[in-house]
Amino acid sequence: MDLILWRHAEAEPGDVGLPDLQRALTSKGIKQAKRMGQWLDSQLPENCRILASPAVRTVQTAEGLGRKYKTHAALVPGAEAEAVLQAANWPAGKETVVIVGHQPTLGQVAALLLTGQVLDWEMKKASAWWFVQRDPEEPVLLKAVMSADLVVK
């Protein structure tokens, strides 16, 4: 199974008086989402499943991919790493899954996949981490880490 963790792009600060789930992307964030979305679209198989947190900023980030996606309540800010893996059906799923979510949860999922422990690893805004596990007897592999800043325009 392939699992891509995609952190939402740059969003409005949390102190602007909006409820957290209503915070939108900044103009820079919209550009980041489109750049990373174009890169992901060129790499992903046609039949992948895309799940996003219901927060406005993650929905806007997912829209940068230009594919159909579904929001999933288990991906809200502050979600448990295990809940994210369950939503993705990791590692039993057969299809590639893209999760568009939040820190610190996505960093914790990455750490859990690679170390077996929930640790607070940092993921840069708009970055994507691509994990692969073909055989449950084999270790999880980190296939790629890509930042929106590295995508060629």
Side-chain angles (χ1 to χ4, degrees):
M1 176 178 184
D2 287 36
L3 176 65
I4 295 94
L5 304 177
W6 185 13
R7 184 177 176 194
H8 68 76
E10 182 182 272
E12 298 169 330
D15 60 359
V16 295
L18 289 173
D20 185 54
L21 292 179
Q22 297 303 314
R23 291 174 40 223
L25 295 182
T26 63
S27 58
K28 177 181 177 181
I30 292 168
K31 290 174 188 171
Q32 290 173 328
K34 286 181 181 175
R35 270 199 311 272
M36 183 57 74
Q38 289 171 345
W39 181 80
L40 283 169
D41 189 50
S42 73
Q43 305 298 314
L44 292 170
E46 287 299 317
N47 63 341
C48 70
R49 189 164 53 114
I50 301 148
L51 301 174
S53 159
V56 170
R57 61 194 179 275
T58 51
V59 167
Q60 289 177 313
T61 299
E63 287 171 350
L65 184 55
R67 295 190 186 195
K68 291 182 181 181
Y69 63 90
K70 291 185 179 179
T71 59
H72 198 295
L75 305 178
V76 295
E80 298 291 327
E82 294 85 356
V84 172
L85 293 176
Q86 185 175 13
N89 195 25
W90 176 272
K94 301 296 182 208
E95 62 194 344
T96 298
V97 177
V98 177
I99 299 287
V100 186
H102 308 272
Q103 270 297 95
T105 302
L106 293 183
Q108 293 168 350
V109 173
L112 181 59
L113 290 173
L114 293 177
T115 72
Q117 298 178 33
V118 175
L119 303 169
D120 288 327
W121 286 5
E122 181 64 30
M123 285 184 71
K124 189 174 180 178
K125 290 178 183 172
S127 68
W129 292 31
W130 192 317
F131 299 89
V132 178
Q133 186 173 39
R134 298 287 180 245
D135 180 344
E137 302 300 316
E138 297 293 322
V140 174
L141 301 175
L142 180 58
K143 179 178 178 176
V145 175
M146 181 57 99
S147 167
D149 299 341
L150 297 176
V151 176
V152 177
K153 298 177 188 176

